[in-house]
């Protein structure tokens, strides 16, 4: 029998949200010969409160300001989105779009400046930030800015990612696993497991990460207004704020997403109609092109749970009791799309570290 080190390593990915799919594609790019399997309860097309990815807005608008690793994840992803748009056009569900960020507090207090540098770190990355004039945006704003970013139609992007994994000979198995140990015993030829279970890492019995908690988000999907919106809008006092308001137009029949809310520790999957009315009012005020609340055609009310984690995201190598290396990549909170390619790159570095350790021991 050939020794293990001569065979390409075999990878198992738990989770088919934006993180599992992106991680699997990054693995494929680095290991063209390896068997890769994605297993999950939910796959693109599903809608469940236990599946965060379909419910995101989504756009690239970084929360990072650590002057370090988190900014790096978002920077890498910004470049990846750029490459995807240039290579695949709108078919991938991502497009370049301008964005107006409107703040109800001065720049110094808006949670935008990085530690150490005291600057907005992505100014150059996005091709320059323009400060809005007095007559632009809501009259009662404290300050506003405009920059080019990316808008992601999550429905289209998730199916595109899914199609990419199928085209790259990645196996898909739909199944729920109560623990990582049981998952690994179902796939005995696995060299390495990637845990991309999102909020599922709270309930997997042998991960049981009780520092995980949901940050509930509610949105409204409406029909396109007669005159299409030309940009995305965001408004709040702080970049990270419980009642940030946003309007994300999705072309190609995607409608317009109105948000939002950030409710920490709230697991409630039911739509709060009072909150929905409030979101609609706030959005119509922010983007007058939408018209009056009573003019909107409502398509659906949506609730999603962001996989938040005290002490931040977990991207970590852990040697399991059965000797198999496990690489965790979960807890992306409200930044799973905008950090996806950067966090997958970090997970891949840990894969390489784990395989090197394994090979030197053989
Ligand atoms: C309203 C809202 C707006 C948002 N806006 C943005 C935005 O503008 N930009 C942005 O970057 N992010 C945004 N997000 C955040 C983003 O949606 C999440 O960070 C991201 O979807 C997390 O992806 P994930 O793959 O980690 O988790 P999920 O999408 O939840 O996927 C988890 C996967 O693991 C599987 N799984 C879990 N446990 C098990 C088990 N025991 N057995 C088998 N399978 C299991 C699930 O079935 C699923 O396939 C938003 C989120 C919400 C709710
Ligand atoms: C697809 O992957 C399987 C193992 O997962 C392998 O046996 C097969 O040769 C691969 N096919 C191609 C075309 O690479």
């Amino acid at each position: 029998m050939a020794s293990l080190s001569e065979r390409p390593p075999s990878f198992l990915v738990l989770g088919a949200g934006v993180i599992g799919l992106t991680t699997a594609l990054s693995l494929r790019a680095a290991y063209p010969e390896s068997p890769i399997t994605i297993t999950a309860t939910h796959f693109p097309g599903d809608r469940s409160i236990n599946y965060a990815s379909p419910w995101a807005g989504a756009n690239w608008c970084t929360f990072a300001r650590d002057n370090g690793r988190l900014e790096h994840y978002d920077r890498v992803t910004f470049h990846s989105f750029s490459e995807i748009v240039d290579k695949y056009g709108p078919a991938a569900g991502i497009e370049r779009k301008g964005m107006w960020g409107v703040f109800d507090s001065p720049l110094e207090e808006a949670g935008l400046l990085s530690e150490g540098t005291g600057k907005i770190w992505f100014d150059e990355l996005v091709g320059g930030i323009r400060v809005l004039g007095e007559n632009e945006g809501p009259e009662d704003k404290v300050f506003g800015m405009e920059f080019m970013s990316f808008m992601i139609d999550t429905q289209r992007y998730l199916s595109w990612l899914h199609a990419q994994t199928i085209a790259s000979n990645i196996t898909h198995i739909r199944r729920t696993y109560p623990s990582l140990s049981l998952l690994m015993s179902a796939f005995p030829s696995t060299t390495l497991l990637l845990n991309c279970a999102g909020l599922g890492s709270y309930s997997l019995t042998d991960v049981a990460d009780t520092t995980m908690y949901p940050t509930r988000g509610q949105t409204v999907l409406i029909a396109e207004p007669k005159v299409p919106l030309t940009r995305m809008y965001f408004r709040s006092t702080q970049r990270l704020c419980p009642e940030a308001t946003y309007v994300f137009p999705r072309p190609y029949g995607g409608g317009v997403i109105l948000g939002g809310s950030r409710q920490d520790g709230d697991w409630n999957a039911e739509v709060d109609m009072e909150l929905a009315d409030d979101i609609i009012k706030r959005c119509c005020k922010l983007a007058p092109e939408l018209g009056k609340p009573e003019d909107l055609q409502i398509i659906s009310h949506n609730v999603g749970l962001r996989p938040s984690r005290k002490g931040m995201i977990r991207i970590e190598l852990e040697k399991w009791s059965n000797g198999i290396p496990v690489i965790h990549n979960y807890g992306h909170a409200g930044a799973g799309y905008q950090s996806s390619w950067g966090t997958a790159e970090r997970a891949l570095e840990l894969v390489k570290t784990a395989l090197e350790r394994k090979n030197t021991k053989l």
Side-chain angles (χ1 to χ4, degrees), residues 28 32-37 168-171:
R28 172 53 82 224
E33 306 290 323
S34 278
I36 303 177
T37 298
S168 14
N169 194 26
I170 291 172
T171 307

Side-chain angles (χ1 to χ4, degrees), residues 21-51:
L21 296 170
T22 308
T23 303
L25 287 174
S26 301
L27 277 173
R28 172 53 82 224
Y31 298 93
E33 306 290 323
S34 278
I36 303 177
T37 298
I38 302 178
T39 182
T41 312
H42 303 101
F43 280 90
D46 293 340
R47 311 215 125 205
S48 158
I49 193 67
N50 297 317
Y51 190 31

Side-chain angles (χ1 to χ4, degrees), residues 14-21 38-44 46 48-61 63 81 152 154 158 174-180 183 195-201 203-204 215-219 239 246 248 257 259-262 302-307 329-340:
L14 175 64
V18 64
I19 300 307
L21 296 170
I38 302 178
T39 182
T41 312
H42 303 101
F43 280 90
D46 293 340
S48 158
I49 193 67
N50 297 317
Y51 190 31
S53 294
W55 306 117
N59 75 349
W60 188 101
C61 189
F63 296 107
F81 285 169
I152 306 137
T154 54
L158 286 173
R174 187 193 287 261
R175 216 176 155 76
T176 302
Y177 297 91
S179 67
L180 295 188
L183 166 61
N195 171 23
C196 307
L199 207 47
S201 295
S203 37
L204 282 159
T215 300
R216 184 180 183 277
Q218 200 172 299
T219 63
R239 175 66 191 101
Y246 52 85
F248 295 160
I257 285 283
S261 71
R262 301 185 57 87
N302 312 308
V303 179
L305 303 179
R306 301 172 181 88
N329 184 12
Y330 68 81
H332 294 66
Y337 283 86
Q338 68 201 17
S339 68
S340 54

Side-chain angles (χ1 to χ4, degrees), residues 336-354:
Y337 283 86
Q338 68 201 17
S339 68
S340 54
W341 290 98
T343 51
E345 182 191 82
R346 175 70 191 137
L348 203 65
E349 285 170 14
L350 297 179
V351 167
K352 287 177 183 151
T353 307

